[in-house]
Every structure is written in structure tokens, then in C-alpha cells.
Amino acid sequence: LKESEAQSRDLLARRASMDGRRRGLEATLEAHEGLSQGALAVMNLIRKGELKISAVPAAEAFIVQPEFGLAFETALGAAANDLIVDSDRQAKAAIESLKHRQLGRATFQPLSMVKDTGIRPELRLLAQRQKGVIGVAADLAECAVEYRPVLNSILGRILIVESIDDAIRLGLRQDLG
């Protein structure tokens, strides 16, 4: 009985710890920590109701397996701060708001304008046949269907590899284009 009670206390303590971590992560996402100054300003204006658009930071729109997190962070680069909006009209409204308030700059990915070029079949073939290649970055990420064109646009030409040596070896190939 004492052992069972000790296990129960341990499980409750672990649950409390995990709940704390979850709340911390939720707060971080809600605050959009890590965004560039302009993108953060847009998200804050939306939250305050001062800008009537919907926007999602690219880094928050794409879901990847934890083991690929660093690779995706690297592959996204500055595009992690891109704000996905429904239309060019929304992007223009946000840009005007940033200019008027002198809050910085932001890059937008209007869904109405992003063309889904897909992923080149030869790149997928290369990813399947080359030693050290994990896959095409866009294929290794998940997102809402409406964000897929943006995902393919940003990550559809990038390979995720196992090591820097694999990247160098592939980078030296002439036929990658």
C-alpha cells in the first residue's frame, strides 16, 4: 500500500510538472516569442483588435517531428517570421499599419497569391535514392491543407540530410540544379 501511495504521489508530481511545461509552452506560443519585431507587432495589433486580419506565423503553421526541429528551424531561416494571411489585401493593410505606427517590417505570404508549385519529382527521387538523405523538407512537415502551398514554396526545394557531410556531398553534385 505504501509503495502504491508513493507511486501515486510520484505520478501526480510528474503530471503537475508536465502541466506546468504545457502551460509554459502555450504561453510562449500565445506571446509569439521569437518572432521578428515587425511580425510580432502585427500579431499584437491583431490580438488587441487594432488590425482586422487573420495571420499565422509560418513557424507556427508547420508541425514537424521533434527530431527534425533544428533542421526545420535552419531550413526555414528568416521565413519562420513570414506571416501567412488570406489575401494580398490583408497583407497591404498590415504593411500600412506597420508603416503608420513605425513598428518595423514584416514579410507576408498571402494565400491568394502563393502558387503551389509542388515538389519536383526528381528531387523526391533523389531523396529516396541518395544515402544520407532523410527527405524533402516539405514532405516531412504537416500543416493545414490551406497552408500547403506556402509550405511547398518555402521548403519544397530543401533536402533534410543526416549529417553535414551528406549535405556537402550532395552540394557538390552538379545535377541538383
Side-chain angles (χ1 to χ4, degrees):
L1 185 61
K2 285 183 182 183
E3 187 178 315
S4 180
E5 287 174 351
Q7 285 177 341
S8 179
R9 281 191 302 274
D10 182 50
L11 288 173
L12 287 172
R14 286 183 23 198
R15 179 180 177 188
S17 174
M18 295 299 276
D19 282 344
R21 285 180 60 194
R22 179 186 48 82
R23 285 191 301 274
L25 288 170
E26 286 171 351
T28 297
L29 287 173
E30 190 173 308
H32 304 289
E33 285 184 22
L35 282 181
S36 66
Q37 177 185 347
L40 181 59
V42 169
M43 297 308 293
N44 285 334
L45 290 170
I46 292 169
R47 184 181 46 79
K48 293 176 188 174
E50 296 177 26
L51 185 58
K52 305 281 191 236
I53 68 168
S54 61
V56 177
E60 295 176 23
F62 310 142
I63 300 167
V64 298
Q65 296 173 10
E67 64 265 26
F68 301 138
L70 181 58
F72 274 86
E73 184 180 330
T74 303
L76 277 173
N81 290 290
D82 288 7
L83 297 175
I84 302 170
V85 294
D86 291 333
S87 66
D88 58 318
R89 216 173 62 251
Q90 287 188 349
K92 287 177 188 177
I95 291 167
E96 286 304 316
S97 191
L98 287 171
K99 278 185 187 178
H100 177 73
R101 292 174 169 94
Q102 296 182 340
L103 293 174
R105 299 176 180 176
T107 301
F108 296 88
Q109 297 279 348
L111 293 173
S112 63
M113 297 183 73
V114 176
K115 302 290 183 242
D116 191 349
T117 56
I119 298 169
R120 293 183 1 222
E122 60 271 19
L123 190 62
R124 275 204 176 109
L125 189 60
L126 178 70
Q128 292 169 357
R129 292 186 175 170
Q130 284 293 315
K131 179 181 177 259
V133 176
I134 297 169
V136 177
D139 285 342
L140 298 171
E142 296 178 24
C143 66
V145 172
E146 62 268 23
Y147 301 149
R148 179 54 63 175
V150 175
L151 176 69
N152 286 344
S153 172
I154 296 172
L155 297 174
R157 296 180 308 269
I158 297 172
L159 292 175
I160 302 295
V161 295
E162 292 178 8
S163 72
I164 189 73
D165 291 332
D166 293 319
I168 291 169
R169 179 178 46 78
L170 289 169
L172 294 175
R173 289 189 43 158
Q174 296 297 316
D175 61 334
L176 286 179

